[in-house]
Amino acid sequence: MGREAAEGRARSAQGRATGAEAATEHAGNSAGNSDGNSGRIPGEDSAVESAEDSAEDSVVESAEDSVDRHIARWTGKVPFDVPTEAVITRIQLLAKHVSHGKERALAETGLQAFEFETMHRLASRGAPWRAPSAELAAELLLSPAGMTGRLDTLEKSGLVRRLRAAADRRRVDVELTEEGHRRWLDAMRWRGVAEHEMIEPLDDGERAALAALLKRMLLAVETR
């Protein structure tokens, strides 16, 4: 059933591509026969662009990704709803690509995951990027000893500093250094590059529509 659906999508895509080519040819012929001063007719550019976009969409729709092959491999061997399987599996694979993008960002900046995670918590507070050590440990789900060991490493690398709170000398505050903030910003920029590469195929309208659909799905899960 999965293969028949895929073949049907391919035939449909081929038909749309043929229609797009015809529209493009028609637009070109109309331009050549126009009596206007510029040799072009009103709406010609938009007609050509629409035809090109349609042809491009057809190519994408007819292309086979790893999930199409996954569905074809399992069809008839285990019961599942094809649209649901297609959506969930693609979400899972995209999440893996996001994870790989984060790993690449760390590699580019020479940070370890625990270093970035700690600095990220501090940076979220805004300048001067400071938080009580006990509060930070609770957010990171670390024991006092675990927090101390982590801060020892970060402080030795010049990424954070520990300060005694002026109001309570028993309290230790943790603060990002300028170098720590710079390294964190670099990692965030590399993350942005990876995220942009992933969402680049979608235009603004498609991104907004996808965000709305995913929000609806997430709200349904979070409000159960």
Side-chain angles (χ1 to χ4, degrees):
M1 184 172 67
R3 293 186 181 278
E4 293 177 357
E7 291 173 357
R9 288 196 301 272
R11 287 194 295 270
S12 176
Q14 183 178 3
R16 287 194 295 273
T18 302
E21 292 171 0
T24 304
E25 182 179 357
H26 172 72
N29 291 338
S30 297
N33 295 331
S34 173
D35 294 328
N37 292 332
S38 63
R40 306 178 75 83
I41 60 175
E44 176 193 351
D45 288 342
S46 60
V48 173
E49 290 174 3
S50 177
E52 291 174 347
D53 290 343
S54 178
E56 183 178 351
D57 290 343
S58 297
V59 170
V60 172
E61 290 176 12
S62 62
E64 185 179 65
D65 67 4
S66 60
V67 177
D68 291 321
R69 294 188 290 273
H70 161 77
I71 289 174
R73 183 167 60 250
W74 284 101
T75 296
K77 299 174 184 175
V78 63
F80 62 87
D81 178 71
V82 171
T84 300
E85 181 73 7
V87 169
I88 298 302
T89 307
R90 286 190 174 100
I91 289 176
Q92 291 173 333
L93 290 177
L94 287 170
K96 287 184 179 180
H97 283 287
V98 170
S99 179
H100 292 160
K102 291 179 179 180
E103 291 172 1
R104 189 175 75 182
L106 293 177
E108 291 289 347
T109 52
L111 293 172
Q112 298 185 61
F114 79 87
E115 292 174 322
F116 175 84
E117 184 181 15
T118 306
M119 294 192 296
H120 194 64
R121 296 282 182 173
L122 291 170
S124 69
R125 286 164 165 78
W129 319 305
R130 182 188 303 159
S133 176
E135 183 179 302
L136 199 59
E139 290 184 13
L140 296 169
L141 303 178
L142 290 172
S143 66
M147 189 76 247
T148 298
R150 178 174 294 197
L151 294 178
D152 286 344
T153 301
L154 287 164
E155 197 165 33
K156 188 178 297 184
S157 300
L159 301 175
V160 305
R161 65 173 64 93
R162 282 177 279 198
L163 307 167
R164 289 288 177 183
D168 183 357
R169 301 296 295 176
R170 294 171 300 177
R171 193 184 84 192
V172 176
D173 286 342
V174 184
E175 183 179 279
L176 270 183
T177 63
E178 291 292 336
E179 174 65 11
H181 190 254
R182 184 191 66 78
R183 296 275 295 279
W184 170 78
L185 275 178
D186 283 345
M188 290 298 291
R189 290 191 188 98
W190 279 106
R191 279 190 171 198
V193 169
E195 292 167 358
H196 176 74
E197 288 175 350
M198 179 173 292
I199 203 167
E200 188 176 17
L202 306 181
D203 62 31
D204 290 344
E206 291 169 331
R207 295 178 192 187
L210 178 59
L213 292 172
L214 292 173
K215 179 178 180 179
R216 191 191 307 174
M217 291 174 64
L218 186 58
L219 279 173
V221 173
E222 292 180 340
T223 56
R224 281 178 184 170

